[in-house]
Amino acid sequence: MTKDNFKQAIVEAHQRLENLSQLASLAVEKSIGHDSPRELLQQAMTEISISLEELQQQNEELIATRHLVEAERQRYYNLFNFAPDGYLLTDATGIIQEANYAAAKLLNVRQSYLIGKPMAVFVHQTERQKFRQIMLQLQQQGQIRREELRFFHGQGITDFPAELTAIAVGDSQGKTGNLRWLFRDISDRHQQEQKIREQAALLDITTDAIIVEDLDNQILFWNQGAEKMYGWQVQEAQGKNAWEILFKETSPLLSTAQKTVIEHGTWQGELHKFTKDGKEIIIASRWTLMLDAVGLPKSILIIDTDITEKKQLETQLLRSQRLESLGILASGIAHDLNNLLTPILGVAQLLPLKYPHLDALSLQMLKILEINAKRGGDLVGQILAFAGGSEREHTIVLVSQLIEDIKRIAQQTFPKFIDINTDIAPNVGVVLGDSTELHQVLMNLVVNARDAMPNGGKLCISATKLFIDENYARMHIAATVNSYVKITVADTGVGINSEIIDQIFDPFFTTKEVGKGTGLGLSILMGIVNSHGGFVEVASQVGIGTKFQVYLPSKEGRISQVTDEIELPKGQGELILVVDDEVAITEIAKTTLEFCNYKVLTAQNGIEALNLYSQHKNEIRLVLMDMMMPIMGGETAISTMKVINPQVQIIAMSGLARSEALLETTGVDIQGFLAKPFTTNQLLNKVQKIFR
């Protein structure tokens, strides 16, 4: 029952009582009537009863309505007071009139404490200007939504970011009556957002490329690492097909990778990808399948690491290890060959001296023997160069003159349809090295270039000076921070297939037909360049051509003048002890020295040499000692002789030129070194140098 209905029931009850009162008065006045007083009283009581029943009914309805209103009011209070978000009711100026339990809890105060306080006092002082702007906006627009504001209360030690929503409620005159505020603590959201920002920063800071692709290879995510690695900006890459921009052609490995990751959830392996500018790089790629909310495949997360530099270093290291192992074998062979060639060369040179009246044919045959022994020695020298054991005396070599000599030889011997050019920088300068070996290096390269151009082409030999910094040296095992001369031999020939380019420096590897190449040229070249402290790079494209770049440490200086050797210096009867396990070498050395007026004792090992030296130490003026002998090696024998007589004069001999360096590093004191095979002049000049 409404309030108006209740008032109407009261009026009607009063009307009935008024009617009864009028009837009673009329009956008294006339004392007569249709009804007796008893009947009138009965009628009045009936009317009163009806009215009372109606009033009772209406009163019950009113009570029920009041209970309903109270229940609704309690429900509203519960919703208001125990809502998880804070609610405030303020007047138009921001004075708090009502506050729920959540608001008090968020601000860490009692509810009663809030009533009558300006809302502004609970806003962080750094954001009170922003709060005033929100109040103004609320007055003008009637509402604000999802504004961020920092709440603070020093006594409650409260400080948190809040999301704020508010509406302005107008009064009967259309003015702002009060303001209703809702706010919630969004600290957790800020922490999550900060975590997401940190994770996003990590994704961009990492040098790895992080890519997300859908199952059709369309790029969904592309981090800064991917931008740096592949050159495609994020706006260029997103939405593109990854296989189209990162691969030149679809390989079976790609299809296998995608099938594996879908079936098993992960895949990893090495892929060859291409950057935006067409550079090929080697990638260690890890793929992970991403699932949607119902567990179905939706995308593939790919993490790529550029391992191009690592693979290059591994290749260089493996190549060095192969060359080192083969070099050890080559050194042993070279030593034995030099021991064989030494007496042959000695006999071929000594016989014409002892028998000057030999017929022309015999002299010619001996000359052939001498020439071939020397050629054999040069071949052994090449093997030693490959083995890294050749340590011939280095002199200043003028790079421009070296290249011009190679050009002249090539122009005289190469087919005319090969165009030969040189490009030498004016400041290219000089290098320290063996001119014969460096000549061999360049001749090998230009001959290979000629063979790569059977139908003609262009051959260019260039040289320039450059400085190698730390970054470049870090990527090349043999390089150091230094000034280098770079000699480039480039051709427009058939090129080298990328599948075999890493094998071309291996001994005995050749692409030439049987009988047209031994496969030793480039391996020997590599050994020579390494022995000069340099390194070699090669780049080639099939059908385009090949470019070899030889890097040699630069040296400032002038070319040293070569002095003529003094021929057959004679001795004064000095006693010399010759020690070698090869009888042929001791005999030819003895014969040669005796022919030139020296006295000679011989021994076949270190122990025998020590016995002889102990007996004749006062007469022996010089010891020729082989370094590699059985029973007792030369190094030990020399050290022991130095104990017996610190002034003993010793010339070390070896078929391995690097034995001289070994003696220097071990500190053994010697007066000279003679590399096998040695000529008669070399032997006599070395001995004469000691006796000067």
Side-chain angles (χ1 to χ4, degrees):
M1 174 177 285
T2 65
K3 184 177 181 181
D4 291 340
N5 290 339
F6 184 70
K7 287 181 178 180
Q8 183 62 33
I10 297 295
V11 170
E12 290 178 356
H14 280 290
Q15 185 64 44
R16 289 192 188 94
L17 290 173
E18 182 65 30
N19 291 338
L20 288 173
S21 178
Q22 289 177 1
L23 286 174
S25 297
L26 182 62
V28 172
E29 289 175 0
K30 294 183 179 182
S31 299
I32 57 172
H34 301 288
D35 298 315
S36 64
R38 185 187 181 111
E39 292 173 346
L40 288 173
L41 182 58
Q42 184 68 36
Q43 184 179 353
M45 292 177 65
T46 302
E47 290 293 338
I48 291 171
S49 178
I50 293 172
S51 297
L52 289 174
E53 288 180 3
E54 290 179 352
L55 288 173
Q56 179 69 25
Q57 181 179 357
Q58 291 168 2
N59 185 52
E60 291 176 356
E61 291 178 0
L62 181 60
I63 292 172
T65 300
R66 183 178 297 169
H67 287 167
L68 183 60
V69 170
E70 179 64 24
E72 289 296 325
R73 190 192 71 80
Q74 186 64 38
R75 183 173 171 224
Y76 161 76
Y77 177 80
N78 290 338
L79 289 174
F80 174 77
N81 208 33
F82 297 104
D85 295 329
Y87 286 95
L88 296 174
L89 179 66
T90 71
D91 63 14
T93 64
I95 303 300
I96 299 174
Q97 297 174 340
E98 292 185 38
N100 73 338
Y101 174 76
K105 185 176 181 181
L106 286 171
L107 295 172
N108 200 19
V109 295
R110 301 185 309 276
Q111 281 180 269
S112 59
Y113 179 84
L114 294 172
I115 307 304
K117 299 288 193 305
M119 184 175 172
V121 302
F122 299 101
V123 175
H124 199 281
Q125 59 183 3
T126 60
E127 296 199 337
R128 285 177 183 169
Q129 178 61 33
K130 181 178 180 181
F131 177 69
R132 287 190 285 271
Q133 293 174 352
I134 290 174
M135 287 282 291
L136 181 61
Q137 181 182 349
L138 194 54
Q139 298 278 357
Q140 294 174 348
Q141 301 178 5
Q143 67 174 3
I144 58 138
R145 295 180 60 82
R146 299 183 182 281
E147 286 285 348
E148 282 199 20
L149 196 67
R150 193 160 199 89
F151 278 84
F152 176 80
H153 182 53
Q155 293 181 2
I157 316 176
T158 300
D159 185 0
F160 63 91
E163 182 183 80
L164 201 63
T165 299
I167 60 171
V169 180
D171 58 17
S172 59
Q173 298 178 353
K175 297 181 179 180
T176 301
N178 55 54
L179 306 175
R180 299 177 182 177
W181 306 83
L182 179 146
F183 65 99
R184 61 183 56 168
D185 186 351
I186 56 173
S187 299
D188 290 343
R189 183 198 300 176
H190 274 205
Q191 291 175 359
Q192 292 296 327
E193 290 174 351
Q194 178 63 23
K195 186 175 181 180
I196 290 172
R197 284 192 294 269
E198 291 173 355
Q199 290 173 343
L202 288 174
L203 291 180
D204 284 333
I205 289 173
T206 180
T207 56
D208 287 343
I210 300 177
I211 306 166
V212 178
E213 302 174 8
D214 65 17
L215 301 183
D216 294 322
N217 309 317
Q218 301 299 311
I219 296 173
L220 305 176
F221 176 79
W222 185 268
N223 77 328
Q224 289 185 12
E227 289 185 354
K228 295 175 184 177
M229 187 177 295
Y230 296 114
W232 297 93
Q233 298 299 310
V234 61
Q235 60 271 20
E236 297 175 310
Q238 282 187 343
K240 297 290 181 61
N241 188 303
W243 290 15
E244 292 179 359
I245 67 173
L246 298 178
F247 300 92
K248 288 190 174 180
E249 59 184 19
T250 302
S251 67
L253 181 59
L254 271 179
S255 301
T256 301
Q258 189 172 53
K259 180 180 179 182
T260 301
V261 76
I262 290 176
E263 292 179 353
H264 302 285
T266 60
W267 176 87
Q268 63 179 9
E270 290 184 9
L271 296 172
H272 288 251
K273 295 187 178 183
F274 292 85
T275 63
K276 184 179 180 180
D277 58 7
K279 178 184 176 183
E280 184 178 10
I281 56 179
I282 305 172
I283 298 297
S285 195
R286 286 92 69 199
W287 295 17
T288 302
L289 185 65
M290 308 299 290
L291 306 177
D292 61 16
V294 296
L296 296 177
K298 69 171 183 177
S299 59
I300 299 173
L301 170 65
I302 298 174
I303 301 177
D304 286 347
T305 303
D306 186 353
I307 58 172
T308 306
E309 179 180 328
K310 176 185 175 184
K311 299 298 277 188
Q312 289 174 346
L313 292 175
E314 286 178 354
T315 300
Q316 293 178 34
L317 181 60
L318 289 173
R319 180 185 298 160
S320 299
Q321 290 174 341
R322 288 198 302 269
L323 293 176
E324 182 180 358
S325 60
L326 289 170
I328 294 172
L329 174 63
S331 296
I333 296 173
H335 174 265
D336 292 340
L337 286 175
N338 279 332
N339 279 338
L340 293 174
L341 291 170
T342 298
I344 296 174
L345 182 59
V347 168
Q349 292 180 329
L350 183 61
L351 285 178
L353 298 176
K354 292 195 68 173
Y355 306 101
H357 302 296
L358 286 174
D359 60 89
L361 180 60
S362 297
L363 291 174
Q364 182 181 0
M365 297 301 292
L366 289 172
K367 192 64 178 177
I368 292 173
L369 186 64
E370 178 186 350
I371 291 172
N372 281 276
K374 287 181 177 180
R375 288 181 62 186
D378 290 339
L379 179 60
V380 174
Q382 291 183 0
I383 296 175
L384 282 175
F386 157 70
S390 178
E391 296 179 11
R392 302 178 186 181
E393 184 178 356
H394 286 184
T395 59
I396 297 297
V397 179
L398 187 63
V399 175
S400 59
Q401 184 62 53
L402 178 66
I403 294 176
E404 289 299 330
D405 289 345
I406 297 297
K407 178 184 178 182
R408 183 175 61 256
I409 294 172
Q411 287 176 332
Q412 293 173 353
T413 59
F414 285 12
K416 300 303 180 184
F417 52 67
I418 294 179
D419 184 17
I420 304 172
N421 294 293
T422 58
D423 182 12
I424 305 171
N427 65 337
V428 68
V430 299
V431 297
L432 184 65
D434 186 296
S435 60
T436 302
E437 290 182 343
L438 295 180
H439 187 278
Q440 178 185 353
V441 167
L442 295 188
M443 278 304 302
N444 182 281
L445 293 178
V446 297
V447 168
N448 284 349
R450 177 202 66 187
D451 295 342
M453 298 184 289
N455 300 318
K458 294 182 179 181
L459 169 62
C460 181
I461 310 171
S462 61
T464 186
K465 193 174 182 179
L466 77 162
F467 183 80
I468 287 181
D469 58 18
E470 292 182 1
N471 290 333
Y472 188 93
R474 182 169 53 86
M475 297 176 61
H476 297 77
I477 293 177
T480 59
V481 177
N482 197 1
S483 180
Y484 282 81
V485 173
K486 180 177 71 172
I487 303 175
T488 303
V489 178
D491 65 65
T492 58
V494 296
I496 304 172
N497 193 300
S498 60
E499 295 179 356
I500 64 170
I501 197 168
D502 290 332
Q503 305 176 52
I504 61 174
F505 293 102
D506 291 349
F508 309 112
F509 179 85
T510 180
T511 58
K512 297 178 181 179
E513 298 177 10
V514 177
K516 294 187 177 181
T518 63
L520 283 174
L522 289 179
S523 61
I524 293 173
L525 177 152
M526 180 68 78
I528 292 174
V529 174
N530 288 344
S531 71
H532 283 72
F535 59 97
V536 182
E537 288 185 341
V538 59
S540 184
Q541 286 184 277
V542 175
I544 303 297
T546 302
K547 179 169 65 176
F548 282 89
Q549 294 175 321
V550 178
Y551 293 79
L552 298 170
S554 178
K555 176 75 175 179
E556 298 300 332
R558 294 174 299 174
I559 300 177
S560 60
Q561 298 296 321
V562 179
T563 58
D564 293 333
E565 294 180 346
I566 301 173
E567 296 210 7
L568 298 181
K570 300 290 184 177
Q572 302 295 325
E574 295 94 338
L575 180 60
I576 299 174
L577 173 60
V578 179
V579 186
D580 199 303
D581 60 316
E582 295 287 340
V583 176
I585 293 177
T586 56
E587 288 301 318
I588 193 63
K590 178 181 180 181
T591 302
T592 301
L593 291 169
E594 289 178 343
F595 179 78
C596 292
N597 202 30
Y598 292 103
K599 296 178 182 178
V600 179
L601 294 174
T602 62
Q604 266 64 58
N605 56 65
I607 293 177
E608 187 177 339
L610 291 175
N611 289 332
L612 285 173
Y613 187 76
S614 297
Q615 298 172 23
H616 305 280
K617 63 181 178 180
N618 294 327
E619 296 91 37
I620 294 175
R621 297 283 309 279
L622 175 66
V623 178
L624 296 179
M625 178 77 70
D626 183 36
M627 296 307 300
M628 299 182 66
M629 296 180 294
I631 304 177
M632 179 183 288
E635 183 181 342
T636 303
I638 292 173
S639 299
T640 306
M641 283 185 181
K642 287 290 183 180
V643 173
I644 298 172
N645 178 14
Q647 307 302 320
V648 63
Q649 303 291 296
I650 297 175
I651 295 176
M653 301 183 295
S654 178
L656 295 177
R658 66 183 178 192
S659 295
E660 181 180 14
L662 178 62
L663 286 169
E664 291 176 359
T665 57
T666 56
V668 177
D669 182 23
I670 60 173
Q671 283 63 56
F673 184 82
L674 199 56
K676 300 176 184 178
F678 46 81
T679 65
T680 299
N681 282 343
Q682 288 172 336
L683 171 62
L684 296 174
N685 279 307
K686 187 70 71 171
V687 170
Q688 183 64 29
K689 185 178 179 180
I690 300 297
F691 293 144
R692 283 177 187 172

